[in-house]
Amino acid sequence: DARCRRPTAPLDDDDLSQCAAAKKSGGVCVVGSATRVDGGSIDATISQQPVGRGKPDTLGGTVAITDLPMSLLTRVLSSTGAAPRAGGTLSAVLHLGGATTLPSATGSVTLLRGWIEDAIIGNTGLTLAATDDPQWIAISGRALDGRAELRARVQTVFPFTVDLNVRGHRLELDPVLDLQALVGSPEPLRAWTTGSVSLHAELGRPSVEPIVWVELDELVATYEHRDADGRPQPLRVAALPNATDQP
C-alpha cells in the first residue's frame, strides 16, 4: 500500500481497515495513483469484501481527483460528438459504499475558475449525499455566485434514472448562445432569463426518450439597434410580465 498510495491521498476513517479486512477475507483491495504531466492527478483506494451466504460483496474506499483540467474532458467529449469549449480545474473526493449490486457514493465535486464558451461560471461546488432509498444518490450545489442552483437524483442501478433540475436567476444567454445568428438579426442581440430546466432520463434505456421541460419567469432581450446617424438606440423587449428590471 505504501508504495502505491501517496502520503497526501485523502482517505476516509475506515478505508485502511476495510482494505485490510478485504484482503484477509479473500476479497480485493486496489490502491493506485497517477499524475498527468499537463495537470491533474487521481488517487484511489477501493476495497471489495465478501460477505458470504449468497450476499453481494460490500464496497468501500475513496477515489480522489485533483486539479483535472476541464479541457481534457471536452477533448474526450468532442471525440464522440460536438462539445462546447470549456475551462477550469475539476477536483472531487468520492467515498464509496454499498454493495457491488447496489453501489453508493458520498462526497464533493468542485470546479474552480470554470468557464463555458464565453460565459464565466466561476467556482462551483456540488455535494453528493445518500438518500432514504439506497438505489439513489442526491446531488446539490450552486454556481454563478449563487444565481444558479442544481438539484439532482441519480440512480446507481438499472435503468440508471436521472432526475435533474437547474434553477437560474437572471442568467445571461448571449455569452453561451449566438443569439444574433440564431434569430438572423442584422445587429447584436443580448438576452437574460430567470427560470428552471428539468430533465428526466433513463441512461440504461437508450430507446427511452429523455423528457425535458423549461419554465421561465422572466425573459428579456435587448436589440442593439443604431439609428440612421449611427447613434445607439437599443430596443428592449420583455417577453414575460415579470421581466421589468435590469439584471
Side-chain angles (χ1 to χ4, degrees):
D1 288 1
R3 286 180 293 180
C4 299
R5 182 186 298 111
R6 296 187 301 175
T8 57
L11 293 172
D12 211 355
D13 295 337
D14 55 358
D15 284 348
L16 296 181
S17 60
Q18 288 179 345
C19 196
K23 290 187 287 186
K24 288 181 180 179
S25 61
V28 177
C29 179
V30 178
V31 177
S33 63
T35 301
R36 292 183 68 248
V37 175
D38 295 332
S41 61
I42 183 170
D43 296 278
T45 299
I46 303 173
S47 62
Q48 180 176 330
Q49 184 175 353
V51 177
R53 297 182 179 179
K55 295 182 179 180
D57 295 353
T58 59
L59 292 177
T62 298
V63 177
I65 299 172
T66 305
D67 296 335
L68 184 70
M70 283 291 291
S71 57
L72 174 64
L73 299 181
T74 56
R75 286 202 298 269
V76 173
L77 293 175
S78 62
S79 64
T80 60
R85 295 181 302 111
T89 57
L90 183 71
S91 298
V93 178
L94 302 178
H95 302 292
L96 307 180
T100 53
T101 56
L102 195 62
S104 65
T106 60
S108 61
V109 179
T110 304
L111 174 64
L112 297 179
R113 300 177 297 277
W115 56 268
I116 297 178
E117 296 296 344
D118 295 325
I120 302 298
I121 298 176
N123 298 339
T124 302
L126 299 177
T127 299
L128 282 71
T131 67
D132 294 336
D133 188 337
Q135 292 189 12
W136 296 84
I137 295 174
I139 303 175
S140 61
R142 292 180 178 272
L144 299 171
D145 295 324
R147 290 186 293 121
E149 181 179 7
L150 180 147
R151 294 187 180 276
R153 291 199 324 148
V154 179
Q155 191 178 26
T156 61
V157 296
F158 188 85
F160 305 106
T161 304
V162 176
D163 289 312
L164 169 69
N165 178 268
V166 179
R167 173 79 183 174
H169 179 70
R170 296 192 173 179
L171 303 180
E172 296 181 1
L173 301 178
D174 44 287
V176 181
L177 302 173
D178 187 352
L179 299 176
Q180 185 175 357
L182 187 64
V183 303
S185 171
E187 294 179 314
L189 185 66
R190 296 184 296 110
W192 56 267
T193 187
T194 295
S196 64
V197 178
S198 299
L199 166 71
H200 174 86
E202 297 182 8
L203 303 182
R205 292 174 174 156
S207 60
V208 177
E209 291 288 339
I211 300 173
V212 180
W213 60 98
V214 179
E215 299 176 78
L216 299 182
D217 302 320
E218 299 177 298
L219 180 59
V220 174
T222 301
Y223 180 61
E224 301 293 347
H225 178 64
R226 290 181 177 272
D227 62 19
D229 297 325
R231 292 173 298 190
Q233 193 177 46
L235 303 176
R236 185 172 179 270
V237 178
L240 296 170
N242 293 335
T244 58
D245 300 322
Q246 294 289 339

